[in-house]
Amino acid sequence: MAQWSVPGIRLSGVASAVPEPTRSADDLAALFGPEEAGKIVESVGVQTRHIAGDSTCTSDLCLAAANRLLDQLDWSRDSIDALILVTQTPDYVLPATACSLHHRLGLGTQCLAFDVNQGCSGYVYGLAIMSRLLGAGTVTRALLLTGDTLSRVVSPVDRAAAPLFGDAGSATCLEFCEGAPPMFFDLGTNGAGVEHLLTRAGGFRTQRSPATTRRTERENGNIRSDSDLFMDGAEVFMFTLSAVPGLIKRTLQGAGWERDDVDAFVLHQANAFMLRHLRKRLKLTPEQFVIALSKYGNTASASIPLAMSDSWSSNSPTGPMKLVLGGFGTGWSWAGVALECDGVVLPEVIIVPDADCSVVPRAEAA
């Protein structure tokens, strides 16, 4: 596994955005019946999910979060040297959606921009990549965007996935700051897990076709197509309980911290049942452990920053905080970071109306 420590990087702000339309437990009851819906909600801990409309893409949610955060930080658009978008639901096969967002945000031509195809571990992977760019000394300010609109690839009548996933985007601003405490990263992969959480059709190995979009009954009565997301919940649960405790232990050891030193552990918001098991396994107090998915569901690469926004935006921490962030999922992949922050700007979660997805800047589109 890859481990490294990078000093001199400041986490300046985090903003998150969700689409306006929602789905509730009542919608589940209409699909699966009240009794089944009640069991699902109790287990996964999701009361409502924000679902993107036909005209809203991941890029629109990330754009809204980035605009709000940059304005609140009062950062000049020309001062951004790097933009990374982490998503598994890009606008296009090509070009990179990061290039489109670079234009829509009005960033300078000196700014590098690229996409990273990563899922539930993607936020920490993005932080790790940015830490290397900033630590090299050639990037001074950076913008990390993470988000997914997985509702586009989930069958609405698949009991294993439909009640769980919501849509969201996030923006995180980082900057070089001499003297800032080091961030410690631990990342790893076990590609044997690919088959347990994937969308089989839609890439170039199995291209999308009328046959791949035909929904049929699968295991346990779930209904989906090969173009829909498949998730083996039991395998995901076993992977999580086997990989994440070790990830957190190594991250703490690498930072030289004890459990009690940490103000908050923010892990990928997979589902409440899984998170409760992890908290017990890790022997953490409820006050240390953030669970913030009841209003949003599992939002993949945006789940960690969204949990931070939801938990702290109305009551932003005023003093230094020690955080451990951990992502895990598709791949299998996992990533942890221990970091210290102080005075992080955390706007309220932004609600984004259904909008026209366009490659032109929003001001021009209006």
Side-chain angles (χ1 to χ4, degrees):
M1 59 205 59
Q3 296 180 329
W4 64 80
S5 180
V6 183
I9 301 169
R10 171 179 164 79
L11 178 67
S12 300
V14 176
S16 303
V18 295
E20 188 172 35
T22 59
R23 301 288 186 273
S24 69
D26 291 338
D27 297 299
L28 293 180
L31 284 171
F32 306 128
E35 184 177 350
E36 181 71 12
K39 291 178 182 178
I40 292 170
V41 170
E42 182 179 357
S43 175
V44 303
V46 178
Q47 296 290 335
T48 59
R49 295 168 294 122
H50 289 260
I51 302 299
D54 291 341
S55 297
T56 300
C57 297
T58 299
S59 61
D60 297 298
L61 303 176
C62 291
L63 178 72
N67 277 327
R68 177 70 59 83
L69 185 57
L70 291 173
D71 288 347
Q72 199 154 328
L73 285 169
D74 196 25
W75 279 17
S76 164
R77 306 300 169 109
D78 287 337
S79 71
I80 308 297
D81 301 313
L83 183 157
I84 295 174
L85 171 67
V86 180
T87 187
Q88 295 192 313
T89 54
D91 288 8
Y92 315 104
V93 174
L94 60 92
T97 305
C99 295
S100 170
L101 281 165
H102 171 278
H103 178 56
R104 297 171 73 184
L105 285 164
L107 306 185
T109 56
Q110 88 292 343
C111 176
L112 65 88
F114 60 90
D115 288 1
V116 173
N117 181 348
Q118 190 59 281
C120 302
S121 61
Y123 182 67
V124 183
Y125 263 83
L127 290 175
I129 296 167
M130 280 300 196
S131 78
R132 287 300 203 186
L133 293 174
L134 288 159
T138 55
V139 170
T140 302
R141 283 181 169 175
L143 180 60
L144 171 65
L145 307 178
T146 65
D148 288 287
T149 47
L150 287 181
S151 65
R152 300 288 181 81
V153 294
V154 170
S155 166
V157 286
D158 184 348
R159 286 178 172 83
L164 185 59
F165 290 100
D167 301 331
S170 76
T172 300
C173 283
L174 302 138
E175 59 185 324
F176 178 78
C177 180
E178 192 171 351
M183 295 182 176
F184 177 81
F185 291 92
D186 182 288
L187 301 93
T189 308
N190 178 1
V194 165
E195 291 293 317
H196 301 304
L197 186 55
L198 84 164
T199 303
R200 191 169 299 279
F204 291 101
R205 183 164 297 279
T206 303
Q207 297 191 40
R208 189 179 177 94
S209 70
T212 71
T213 59
R214 189 176 303 117
R215 287 178 176 142
T216 58
E217 186 171 328
R218 309 295 176 97
E219 77 294 328
N220 301 319
N222 293 315
I223 299 173
R224 66 173 179 276
S225 72
D226 286 345
S227 294
D228 294 321
L229 176 72
F230 163 68
M231 180 178 68
D232 186 328
E235 290 287 345
V236 172
F237 184 73
M238 287 189 292
F239 153 70
T240 300
L241 291 189
S242 65
V244 175
L247 168 68
I248 301 305
K249 180 180 179 180
R250 293 190 303 273
T251 302
L252 288 170
Q253 289 176 339
W257 296 355
E258 300 294 334
R259 282 195 304 261
D260 293 343
D261 295 331
V262 180
D263 295 290
F265 292 80
V266 190
L267 305 188
H268 165 54
Q269 303 289 290
N271 66 65
F273 179 77
M274 190 179 294
L275 288 170
R276 288 192 293 264
H277 272 267
L278 282 174
R279 185 183 69 78
K280 292 177 183 177
R281 180 74 65 89
L282 294 168
K283 299 179 180 179
L284 302 175
T285 67
E287 293 75 22
Q288 281 181 304
F289 196 78
V290 174
I291 300 180
L293 77 163
S294 66
K295 295 184 292 185
Y296 310 107
N298 179 335
T299 56
S301 64
S303 79
I304 293 174
L306 179 57
M308 295 166 68
S309 297
D310 183 72
S311 300
W312 299 324
S313 60
S314 59
N315 186 23
S316 296
T318 55
M321 289 185 69
K322 288 185 175 181
L323 304 178
V324 170
L325 313 179
F328 49 90
T330 49
W332 304 123
S333 64
W334 57 88
V337 61
L339 62 90
E340 296 183 57
C341 56
D342 191 1
V344 178
V345 171
L346 286 157
E348 296 279 348
V349 176
I350 304 156
I351 307 297
V352 181
D354 198 21
D356 176 27
C357 263
S358 172
V359 296
V360 299
R362 185 63 58 209
E364 292 179 28

